[in-house]
Amino acid sequence: MLQKFYIMTFSILDVINAQKELNKFRLNNSTNHERFIFPFLCGSYFTYRKIDVIRIFAIAKTISENPTYLDVGCGYGDFLEKIREYIPNAEGIEKSAEIFYSIGKAKPEYIKIADAYNGIDKKYDIIFVGWMEPGVDYRDQISESAKCIITTFDKGGQCGINGGCEFDGHGFDKIASWVTPSWIDVNTELMNKYYTNNIKAEKIQELRRLRGAHNLWYVYCRPELKNMLKIALEELKSKNIKEKYKHEEILDECGFALNESLPLNPDLYLWKIKIED
Ligand SMILES: C[S@@+](CC[C@H](N)C(=O)[O-])C[C@H]1O[C@@H](n2cnc3c(N)ncnc32)[C@H](O)[C@@H]1O
């Protein structure tokens, strides 16, 4: 029932069918797993914690007292909503109006229906690019309109031509990066633990050792902002941020804790920020 959404490019019929499956799922399930099972309808493709939002806000506040922010390809705006708690005028663009009206969901006024490929009609302090369809590349359009670009993309390479989401060649410098799981990484753990019959506890443990984290977050900025943004991120790094979203409990439970290293990549620590020299 869940396999359709592994295919990242989907049709409106897929959205309608997924909504039906979600309604059925809700009848028999009282867990809060749905954002990792129906990520498009109930969550985001990348997983995030409050620290991701706080990092973005620290960058935004360093650029401007009253920062502007655009989420490109925001879908229903799950992550954008979290950003708006810190940057109330943050906006999103979404190519498809149909994703809203096909399932009777109201489109918030802060999400505009527009195709990034046709250009971004305003300038923004931060543009967040969580998605570029395979073979589509609108990095030039984004670069013209942003002071800072934050991308998160799947190592599997859904992003742009040849899997490239890098903005180095577009007048931007990379200043920081970190790694988080994708929804599929978390979904796999949930499926093994809760939704697969006849699987022994030892097998679950064995499979757990194979878990991966496939989302890369990159922060790019115009060269003149580089030093001040790096200082802001260094300052944040030294603070002990305790705030969390409720859904972070699932990440902890599935073996994707903050600073956890995964058996297959022991040198990699989840959410640990790398600030470039
Ligand atoms: C995989 S979904 C991700 C949605 C959301 N960002 C998330 O993480 O759950 C990609 C979204 O980007 C939208 N999209 C794709 N190409 C776009 C473009 N050129 N301009 C604006 N939106 C686009 C799609 O319609 C879809 O809703």
Side-chain angles (χ1 to χ4, degrees), residues 35 50 69 72 105 107 141 150 184 197 210 223 234-235 250 264 268:
R35 69 162 41 248
K50 201 160 210 174
Y69 175 100
V72 172
K105 201 163 178 143
K107 182 185 76 59
Q141 292 86 323
I150 301 176
I184 295 178
N197 292 329
L210 300 176
E234 287 288 359
E235 275 172 12
I250 299 176
L264 293 181
L268 187 125

Side-chain angles (χ1 to χ4, degrees), residues 8 10 39-40 43-46 71-75 93-96 99 114-117 131 133 138:
M8 295 297 194
F10 45 79
F40 188 58
S44 291
Y45 271 64
F46 48 92
D71 182 333
V72 172
C74 62
I93 58 170
E94 167 51 53
K95 184 169 76 166
S96 168
I99 65 164
D115 188 332
Y117 199 72
W131 177 260
E133 269 165 30
Y138 41 76

Side-chain angles (χ1 to χ4, degrees), residues 8 130-135 152-160 163 165 215:
M8 295 297 194
W131 177 260
M132 257 196 267
E133 269 165 30
T152 176
F153 57 91
D154 197 302
K155 259 192 231 162
Q158 88 275 16
C159 191
C165 285
N215 254 101

Side-chain angles (χ1 to χ4, degrees), residues 22-33:
L22 172 60
N23 295 343
K24 276 196 249 165
F25 178 82
R26 282 177 173 166
L27 288 178
N28 305 312
N29 193 300
S30 58
T31 64
N32 46 4
H33 294 162

